Every structure is written in structure tokens, then in C-alpha cells.
Amino acid sequence: RAATESAAGLAAEHLVSLQQDDGCWEGEMEWCPVVTAQVVIARHAVGMPLPAADAAKILLHFDRTQTPGGAFD
């Protein structure tokens, strides 16, 4: 456990060292739709499905980000 806490602390320190004075980090955010899909599946599997409004937003996001070839941006 100590090694895990130490690793987490070192990671947090490193992230804080990269933060700019105005509070943001430089870099491009890439998001993978697989993570969102996994959350939906996991919540369903444990009997905690998303509220209908949230599910509708996720479906809309998938609809809008799907490319003509079937992949996702």
C-alpha cells in the first residue's frame, strides 16, 4: 500500500508541476468513446443505469461524433 500511495503522490506532484500559473495545462485532449460506453455497460450490469436524460445525451454524443465510416471522432 505504501508503494501505491507513494506512486500516486509522485504522479500528483508531477501533474502539479506541469500546471501553468493560470491553472490550466497545455495539451490536447483526446477522448475515447470506449470509456463512455464502458461506464454505461458497467452501470447497467450493476443495476444502476443512467437516468434517461443522461442516456439521451450520451446517445446524442455518439450520434454526432460517429464518422460516415462508422468510427468515432
Side-chain angles (χ1 to χ4, degrees):
R1 179 176 173 159
T4 303
E5 290 173 359
S6 176
L10 289 171
E13 286 177 25
H14 177 67
L15 287 175
V16 169
S17 76
L18 299 175
Q19 191 173 20
Q20 297 177 13
D21 291 336
D22 65 359
C24 67
W25 283 269
E26 182 69 34
E28 183 177 340
M29 175 64 179
E30 291 286 333
W31 189 253
C32 176
V34 172
V35 175
T36 304
Q38 289 172 335
V39 169
V40 172
I41 292 167
R43 287 184 61 117
H44 177 76
V46 299
M48 296 176 60
L50 291 166
D54 293 341
K57 290 175 188 174
I58 289 173
L59 289 173
L60 180 62
H61 169 74
F62 284 149
D63 184 55
R64 290 186 176 171
T65 59
Q66 189 170 19
T67 65
F72 291 90
D73 283 337

